[in-house]
Amino acid sequence: MSQTTAVSFHPPAAAIKLPEAATWPLADVLALFELPFNDLMFKAQTVHRAHFPAGDVELATLLSIKTGGCEEDCGYCPQAARYDTGVEAKKILDIDTVIDAAKQAKANGATRFCMGAAWRSPKERDMDKVEEMVREVKALGMETCATLGMLEEGQADRLKNAGLDFYNHNLDTAPEFYNNVISTREYQDRLDTLGRVRSAGLKVCCGGIVGMGESRLQRAGLIAQLANLNPYPESVPVNHLVQVEGTPLHGLDPLDPFEFVRTIAVARITMPQARVRLSAGRRQMGEAVQAMCFLAGANSIFYGDKLLTTDNPEAEDDRALLNKLGLVTRAATLDSAPKAACGG
Ligand code: SF4
C-alpha cells in the first residue's frame, strides 16, 4: 500500500505493541493527533484528494438479518442479551424477506448490500442460510457484504465461495483499552477472524468506536492497529459511541467533537485508499461536525433512519446535507432504513 505522508517522530508515547512490520509507529500516529487542528485538516484533505475525487461519498445500505439476543457482552451494544435495553431478540429473517429487501435496494440504486447478524459467531445451521442469502443477492448483480461475528476455520472460505465480496469485523478499540469494554472474546480472536477473511480472498471492512472513555493515546492505538494491518482494510467504519440506557457505557462524559474529527483525519492520512465511513453517532453530531468529518476525509456514510438499534439521520436530511455541501454520492441507495446489526 502506498503511504503518502511522513510525520516527524515524537518522543515515545507508550508501550503499545504493534506488528513488527508496522509502517505506522504509534508515536507517528499520535503525532498526527497532536497537530494543530487546521494543519491536520489540511494534511488529511490533501491526502484525500490524492486518492479520491474530492466530493465523492459512498452510501452504504445495511439489513439486519438477525437482531438482538446476543450472548456477548460488548459494553456499548444494546443487542447484548444481558443488558436491559428494550431490544427484542428476533429470529433470523427468512430468505425471501432478505431477497425482497435486496431487490428493493437495487431498484433504488444500491450496488452493495450488507447483511448483519447479532451473533458471537455463525452456527452451522446459520451458515447454510447465510450462504443462500449471499448467493441470491449476488445473483441480483450486487456487491455483497456480511457481518456475522467471529468466523471459524473454513467459514470465510464458504462465504467467499457463495459470492461474498466484503466481510465486516471491527477491532473496536486499542488493545490496551479493550478489556474495559468486552470480556467475552479476546482482541486476538478478532485479529484471527480478520486473518481468515483475508486468507479467503475477501475484502475487509474493519474499524472501531470512539468516545467509550478511552484516551487520545488509545484512539491513536486503534488507528495504528488498523493502519498496520497488512494490507489495511478497504473500508474503515469510525463509530461515535451512541450511549444507550441499560448498557454499561451509558452515562460517560461525551467526547469532544473535535477529537472525533481528528480521529477521522488520522484514519484518512494513515489509510489513504480506504473508504473511511462515518457510522454510528451521526445524528448526535449535527451537520457542522459531519461537514468537518467530510473535510477530514470521510467518504462513506450509512444511509437510513436506523443504524444498529440506534437512530441515524433521516435519509432526506442526509440528502439535504450532501447537497448543501456539494458532495456527490457514489451510488444512490435505499430510502428505507438499514436495521440493527452487529458490527463486531
Ligand atoms: S456488538 Fe455484536 S457481538 Fe457484541 S454484543 Fe452486540 S451483537 Fe453481540
Side-chain angles (χ1 to χ4, degrees):
M1 282 291 163
S2 65
Q3 190 169 293
T4 57
T5 185
V7 291
S8 59
F9 188 84
H10 280 221
I16 289 184
K17 279 199 183 139
L18 290 169
E20 273 179 21
T23 53
W24 277 102
L26 176 64
D28 286 7
V29 178
L30 185 62
L32 288 171
F33 268 92
E34 290 179 353
L35 285 173
F37 188 76
N38 286 352
D39 292 358
L40 177 60
M41 297 295 274
F42 180 72
K43 190 183 274 284
Q45 183 61 206
T46 304
V47 171
H48 182 71
R49 284 174 187 241
H51 293 90
F52 288 97
D56 156 290
V57 175
E58 177 192 66
L59 304 180
T61 298
L62 173 65
L63 175 74
S64 176
I65 59 170
K66 161 69 183 83
T67 302
C70 182
E71 65 198 271
E72 298 293 279
D73 72 347
C74 309
Y76 50 81
C77 182
Q79 299 202 70
R82 66 191 72 200
Y83 308 139
D84 184 13
T85 61
V87 172
E88 243 179 84
K90 297 197 177 139
K91 289 192 175 147
I92 187 168
L93 295 180
D94 62 55
I95 288 169
D96 288 346
T97 304
V98 175
I99 303 317
D100 285 349
K103 282 182 181 163
Q104 198 194 345
K106 188 177 181 193
N108 282 280
T111 56
R112 189 187 303 183
F113 192 71
C114 307
M115 291 160 272
W119 290 323
R120 172 177 168 81
S121 58
K123 299 190 173 62
E124 192 53 34
R125 63 173 186 276
D126 305 322
M127 283 299 293
D128 292 341
K129 258 192 160 178
V130 173
E131 283 173 70
E132 194 175 341
M133 289 171 189
V134 169
R135 264 193 297 276
E136 300 240 3
V137 172
K138 189 74 179 172
L140 298 175
M142 304 185 81
E143 265 186 339
T144 51
C145 175
T147 178
L148 314 170
M150 293 186 289
L151 296 182
E152 288 161 17
E153 212 63 60
Q155 289 183 321
D157 300 283
R158 287 177 60 176
L159 292 168
K160 170 75 179 169
N161 290 339
L164 193 71
D165 297 302
F166 287 82
Y167 193 80
N168 164 264
H169 197 62
N170 291 331
L171 287 179
D172 281 359
T173 189
E176 288 67 22
F177 191 70
Y178 184 80
N179 289 338
N180 295 51
V181 182
I182 298 150
S183 74
T184 47
R185 69 175 86 167
E186 300 297 320
Y187 209 80
Q188 189 58 45
D189 294 329
R190 293 177 182 265
L191 293 170
D192 291 346
T193 289
L194 291 171
R196 288 178 189 128
V197 168
R198 273 290 179 218
S199 298
L202 291 162
K203 292 180 189 153
V204 170
C205 173
C206 180
I209 307 170
V210 296
M212 299 195 290
E214 76 285 342
S215 65
R216 173 180 275 184
L217 176 63
Q218 289 159 339
R219 281 186 284 283
L222 166 66
I223 299 295
Q225 285 287 330
L226 294 167
N228 288 313
L229 291 173
N230 187 16
Y232 58 75
E234 281 83 359
S235 294
V236 179
V238 183
N239 295 277
H240 188 304
L241 175 69
V242 177
Q243 297 190 16
V244 178
E245 209 170 330
T247 60
L249 297 188
H250 182 252
L252 290 175
D253 288 342
L255 183 73
D256 180 343
F258 291 116
E259 198 60 24
F260 184 80
V261 179
R262 283 180 184 274
T263 308
I264 295 284
V266 177
R268 164 53 62 224
I269 293 165
T270 55
M271 293 170 276
Q273 296 182 61
R275 282 269 164 195
V276 176
R277 179 171 302 138
L278 279 185
S279 302
R282 283 199 302 120
R283 192 179 184 124
Q284 290 73 15
M285 266 170 230
E287 290 191 340
V289 175
Q290 288 185 70
M292 278 194 281
C293 289
F294 291 126
L295 190 60
N299 61 349
S300 177
I301 58 171
F302 274 121
Y303 184 56
D305 62 8
K306 278 274 184 197
L307 185 62
L308 301 168
T309 49
T310 57
D311 289 341
N312 205 37
E314 302 288 339
E316 205 175 295
D317 294 343
D318 278 339
R319 282 194 297 270
L321 176 61
L322 295 176
N323 281 338
K324 258 194 263 188
L325 299 177
L327 297 170
V328 182
T329 56
R330 179 168 168 264
T333 61
L334 275 176
D335 279 354
S336 62
K339 303 299 179 193
C342 167

